[in-house]
Amino acid sequence: MISAIFAHKTNPKLKICIVEKNNRVGKKILVTGNGRCNLTNMNTEPSNYHGRNPRFVMSALSKMNIYDTLDFFESIGVVAKTEDDGKVYPYSLQASSVVDSLRYELERSGCEVFCDTDCKEIRVKDGVFCLYCANGKVFNAKKVIFATGSIAGIKGDTSGSYSVVENFGHKTTDLIPALVQLKTKDKKCASMKGVKVMAQASAYVSGELTKSEYGEVLFTDYGLSGPPIFSLSRIMSDAVNSGKKAEISLNLMPDKSTDDIYMHLLSRRKDVPLESYLLGMMNKFVGIRLIKDITEEKLTLSATVLDDNILYKLATIISDWRFEISGTKSFESCQVVAGGIETADFNPSTMESKLVPGLYLTGEVLDIDGDCGGYNLQWAWSSGAIAGMSAAESVH
């Protein structure tokens, strides 16, 4: 959609169409930002992106930066608001309003949209691309912008998602789920299923701290979820796939030292049942799970059975509760995929293929993925706009 709109802005005389596999355009936008559409992030930097060559994003992000992005959306009726953490949302807090605004702009530009039209193959002859679709339709074009996204969130067979481009000689890197829920090796998370806690979540790879994020963590029957977990999931996914030990540490009281927590535990060691010992200090089910982690005593016994050494162990776990990660949820569950078509064969200033003149790739189908928090949408807007403008400028 962005590519088509910016191509029209660049050359209004062009005939532009969108060939869309789904039954409507922009479906993936509807689930971004928990349905609110995290348009971008005011803290966007090249360091927020990953891949074999993350510096590939620099040219597009400089030509279509966050301020250009916000100006564009305001021009089509989307007024934005910025939260304290730099995340930017539409004032409506509805992803559907963003999709509708883009769709109306497409209509104003005269762009035709062909939904339920799955492009299976692209051939090029004498500088003209022929797009062959599953429903029998064939499109001829001077320029083609491949803006399909990744296989994130897609059900069923996804084997053909990259093959159309691979047939031109482009290569795809290994694909792994990123921005995804994490599975744990032990079953303790299942006993707290549905419980949310505010915690400092830290990623450890082979015992080394790599990154930390603060926020709401959700315990599930398979492991861990929530914004901090999504932010750390790429690191964990990489580590597990590389055969390294991957752990998430939760600090349930990050504003207090382990010694402070220990002294607090000592002061509340009274004649109360173990199951109620941490009540008022943290979620009841989390408190019970922690007690079970440090002692095999019956929960009906008095908390006075906990000696000083056990209490210090409890304080340590509250500060550093480890969960060994066994893997992630599937591509169907993830928000972003790490990996994609190799960027080495594309011009970062135009998004055009070096192997096939007139073929452009944008967004997540390339080997670029961003952190959680609006960075992936910014990459989509920037790369899409650059591809649209570049393609339109080169049509003769």
Side-chain angles (χ1 to χ4, degrees), residues 15 50 56 80 103 108 111 204 296 327 393:
K15 185 177 181 180
H50 313 282
F56 183 83
R103 185 164 54 82
R108 285 191 288 270
C111 176
Y204 283 83
E296 295 181 356
E393 287 171 352

Side-chain angles (χ1 to χ4, degrees), residues 21 118-121 146 148-149 151 154 156-167 341 365:
K21 177 180 179 179
D118 186 7
C119 178
K120 291 296 187 181
E121 184 182 8
F146 201 77
T148 60
I151 57 176
I154 296 178
D157 181 22
T158 56
S159 57
S161 296
Y162 303 89
S163 62
V164 173
V165 177
E166 290 172 339
N167 288 337
I341 303 293
V365 71

Side-chain angles (χ1 to χ4, degrees), residues 9-263:
K9 286 177 177 290
T10 303
N11 188 347
K13 295 181 180 180
L14 291 178
K15 185 177 181 180
I16 302 168
C17 76
I18 292 177
V19 178
E20 171 62 58
K21 177 180 179 179
N22 293 314
N23 59 6
R24 63 175 296 184
V25 291
K27 288 186 74 172
K28 278 193 174 183
I29 297 176
L30 296 175
V31 298
T32 59
N34 289 323
R36 298 191 300 158
C37 188
N38 189 180
L39 282 170
T40 185
N41 196 302
M42 300 304 293
N43 301 314
T44 299
E45 298 285 347
S47 59
N48 295 118
Y49 296 92
H50 313 282
R52 290 190 179 181
N53 179 25
R55 293 178 64 83
F56 183 83
V57 305
M58 293 179 66
S59 181
L61 290 178
S62 64
K63 290 182 177 181
M64 174 73 168
N65 61 38
I66 52 179
Y67 300 103
D68 298 325
T69 299
L70 295 177
D71 286 345
F72 162 72
F73 276 106
E74 186 165 348
S75 74
I76 65 171
V78 179
V79 180
K81 61 184 298 185
T82 304
E83 298 192 344
D84 291 342
D85 57 2
K87 293 178 181 178
V88 180
Y89 295 92
Y91 248 94
S92 65
L93 295 180
Q94 290 182 303
S96 59
S97 67
V98 176
V99 176
D100 287 340
S101 296
L102 288 168
R103 185 164 54 82
Y104 294 144
E105 186 65 17
L106 284 175
E107 292 177 2
R108 285 191 288 270
S109 72
C111 176
E112 287 189 88
V113 179
F114 296 87
C115 293
D116 294 313
T117 305
D118 186 7
C119 178
K120 291 296 187 181
E121 184 182 8
I122 301 176
R123 300 176 192 169
V124 60
K125 184 178 180 181
D126 298 329
V128 176
F129 292 90
C130 295
L131 285 68
Y132 298 90
C133 302
N135 58 5
K137 288 184 178 179
V138 179
F139 297 85
N140 295 321
K142 291 184 177 180
K143 306 288 178 179
V144 171
I145 300 174
F146 201 77
T148 60
S150 70
I151 57 176
I154 296 178
K155 298 180 181 179
D157 181 22
T158 56
S159 57
S161 296
Y162 303 89
S163 62
V164 173
V165 177
E166 290 172 339
N167 288 337
F168 286 113
H170 287 287
K171 297 179 181 178
T172 304
T173 68
D174 291 337
L175 305 174
I176 59 173
L179 301 191
V180 65
Q181 305 92 336
L182 298 177
K183 296 180 179 179
T184 56
K185 286 193 172 182
D186 57 58
K187 302 298 181 182
K188 61 188 176 188
C189 289
S191 66
M192 301 177 286
K193 178 182 177 181
V195 172
K196 297 177 181 179
V197 296
M198 296 300 294
Q200 186 75 32
S202 301
Y204 283 83
V205 177
S206 300
E208 295 292 325
L209 173 65
T210 56
K211 187 179 180 182
S212 293
E213 293 284 345
Y214 180 78
E216 189 176 70
V217 176
L218 171 67
F219 295 103
T220 70
D221 54 353
Y222 55 80
L224 301 167
S225 185
I229 300 303
F230 272 61
S231 295
L232 302 175
S233 60
R234 192 190 199 281
I235 297 170
M236 296 288 92
S237 190
D238 269 337
V240 171
N241 279 276
S242 302
K244 299 176 182 178
K245 187 175 182 179
E247 296 175 293
I248 289 290
S249 166
L250 297 182
N251 186 342
L252 302 177
M253 302 183 74
D255 59 332
K256 298 183 182 298
S257 69
T258 300
D259 286 343
D260 286 340
I261 296 172
Y262 172 60
M263 296 304 295

